[in-house]
Amino acid sequence: MRGVVFPVSSRVKLPDKVQIEPVGKCNLNCRMCPGGIRRNSKQAFMPLEMFDMLLDQFKQAREIQLRGLGEPMLHPAFTQFIDLAARRGLKVGTATNLTLLSEKIANSLVAGALDSLTIFIESPSETTYGWLCRDGRLSEVLSNLEMLLARRESAGTGKPRVTVTSYIMRENMAQLPQLVELAGSLGVDAFTAEHLPGTMEEPALPRNYRPVRDFVAWQMPTAEDRPVLKESFSKVRNLGRKNGVEVTLPPLGPGRNGNGKKDCDWPWREAFVSSSGKMMPCPNVGTPDRSHMGNAASEGVASVWNGPRFSDFRNRLSEGDPPEICRHCSTAGAPGA
């Protein structure tokens, strides 16, 4: 979006797109992701009852993404989350590192309730993948992906639509074309690349985020990397067409409006609720200890969505004085590129 003026109002209608995090921790310890911070937490699973209660309050929702920082397949009731949302007529998607896929889960995923599945694969190289995604093995992910696609073919549902996605880093940006070729050879439907969420430079950043912050600052492409990234993007598009893979890429450089300010409509367009029930302004925040607008599970969805904290947050974005946590976000593009 460019040059958009968002309404300054204390009342914003509830969105038709919702993102709810079933699990707030991950089995991997990826260098660029805060998900590993809470890997030993025992309080990171959203109760199914809470999920059902939240859906009751998002009555206008048409689409839901079951994703956040955590690995959803860690949840013992993961497939029940999908079925519960689908029975309400919602379009359902989720995202995973696919390391925990079992035959039972695979059969459930291709039964028809799940519409889209995003799989994070950061490199086509076993060495690079293992370095970036500590405790993960690329060979295991690819074996699981082959099994899932074979089960989808046998089921004949055509669901879910499978997308491979990767964060863009200096370590892997030249490897993106090979990743598209790999995805195409396996029969994946689409490929997307995303910029790292941001440099996390706010003074109040929780201490446990600092190793991730330092890694992201090191790996985020700069203006000097733009020629390599531009060439890589060109190859990705060509290989996508050649291999029948739909490709979606972000802008090379940061998106700006006419006033030189970043455009962000997330807090108006979608809602994000963490595994603890706390509503956050967007998924790029990571965990509620960085920023949250209130507890939707205990205070009510509408009360938090249009509460004073969220209204002030939106007003600051509208007026060009974004909250500190937003000032280093790369949603609109790669900083410095």
Side-chain angles (χ1 to χ4, degrees), residues 68-116:
L69 276 187
E71 169 50 51
M73 291 188 191
L74 282 170
H75 204 300
F78 169 56
T79 58
Q80 291 177 256
F81 277 74
I82 295 172
D83 293 339
L84 190 59
R87 285 200 299 269
R88 291 172 177 259
L90 297 174
K91 183 178 180 180
V92 186
T94 190
T96 173
N97 58 42
L98 210 66
T99 58
L100 300 178
L101 185 72
S102 65
E103 292 187 4
K104 181 179 180 180
I105 293 177
N107 288 334
S108 179
L109 296 185
V110 302
L114 184 67
D115 294 284
S116 63

Side-chain angles (χ1 to χ4, degrees), residues 234-249:
S234 177
K235 290 179 179 178
V236 164
R237 292 188 184 96
N238 290 334
L239 288 167
R241 286 190 290 268
K242 180 180 178 181
N243 290 277
V245 177
E246 181 181 316
V247 169
T248 302
L249 298 173

Side-chain angles (χ1 to χ4, degrees), residues 19-295:
Q19 187 167 320
I20 296 180
E21 179 185 63
V23 180
K25 66 178 183 178
C26 191
N27 60 311
L28 300 186
N29 189 19
C30 298
R31 296 177 186 270
M32 63 288 180
C33 178
I37 291 173
R38 298 181 293 176
R39 63 186 316 196
N40 296 319
S41 172
K42 296 179 180 179
Q43 307 296 324
F45 294 88
M46 176 178 283
L48 192 62
E49 296 77 13
M50 180 189 292
F51 178 66
D52 193 29
M53 179 269 294
L54 289 169
L55 291 185
D56 282 341
Q57 298 178 65
F58 282 113
K59 294 184 183 298
Q60 77 305 321
R62 298 291 177 268
E63 179 180 340
I64 186 169
Q65 286 288 327
L66 300 172
R67 59 187 294 183
L69 276 187
E71 169 50 51
M73 291 188 191
L74 282 170
H75 204 300
F78 169 56
T79 58
Q80 291 177 256
F81 277 74
I82 295 172
D83 293 339
L84 190 59
R87 285 200 299 269
R88 291 172 177 259
L90 297 174
K91 183 178 180 180
V92 186
T94 190
T96 173
N97 58 42
L98 210 66
T99 58
L100 300 178
L101 185 72
S102 65
E103 292 187 4
K104 181 179 180 180
I105 293 177
N107 288 334
S108 179
L109 296 185
V110 302
L114 184 67
D115 294 284
S116 63
L117 178 67
T118 298
I119 301 165
F120 280 89
I121 302 179
E122 306 301 341
S123 172
S125 160
E126 185 77 66
T127 301
T128 303
Y129 179 90
W131 182 72
L132 290 170
C133 303
R134 292 169 292 192
D135 300 326
R137 291 188 299 137
L138 179 63
S139 57
E140 181 179 46
V141 174
L142 297 181
S143 176
N144 287 344
L145 179 52
E146 288 181 322
M147 185 256 286
L148 176 71
L149 293 171
R151 295 298 171 91
R152 184 179 72 170
E153 180 71 20
S154 298
T157 60
K159 291 183 177 183
R161 173 180 167 84
V162 176
T163 299
V164 166
T165 192
S166 177
Y167 280 121
I168 301 166
M169 294 169 275
R170 301 176 83 179
E171 187 69 25
N172 73 353
M173 60 185 180
Q175 299 177 349
L176 297 179
Q178 289 74 39
L179 189 52
V180 173
E181 281 191 302
L182 177 60
S185 70
L186 293 172
V188 167
D189 303 297
F191 172 82
T192 65
E194 302 176 11
H195 290 303
L196 290 163
T199 53
M200 295 180 272
E201 295 177 22
E202 74 268 20
L205 184 75
R207 182 180 296 273
N208 55 2
Y209 269 81
R210 293 178 185 177
V212 177
R213 175 199 62 189
D214 295 343
F215 183 82
V216 167
W218 172 42
Q219 283 294 313
M220 189 170 283
T222 66
E224 295 179 357
D225 300 306
R226 186 164 185 164
V228 175
L229 191 57
K230 185 176 182 179
E231 181 181 3
S232 182
F233 276 16
S234 177
K235 290 179 179 178
V236 164
R237 292 188 184 96
N238 290 334
L239 288 167
R241 286 190 290 268
K242 180 180 178 181
N243 290 277
V245 177
E246 181 181 316
V247 169
T248 302
L249 298 173
L252 280 172
R256 305 279 173 174
N257 61 27
N259 297 318
K261 298 164 185 168
K262 289 186 180 179
D263 296 306
C264 177
D265 66 342
W266 230 101
W268 288 264
R269 174 172 50 89
E270 298 187 42
F272 177 67
V273 182
S274 72
S275 59
S276 64
K278 292 177 180 176
M279 187 180 291
M280 292 152 59
C282 85
N284 281 355
V285 170
T287 55
D289 53 342
R290 282 187 76 195
S291 178
H292 72 87
M293 302 294 103
N295 195 312

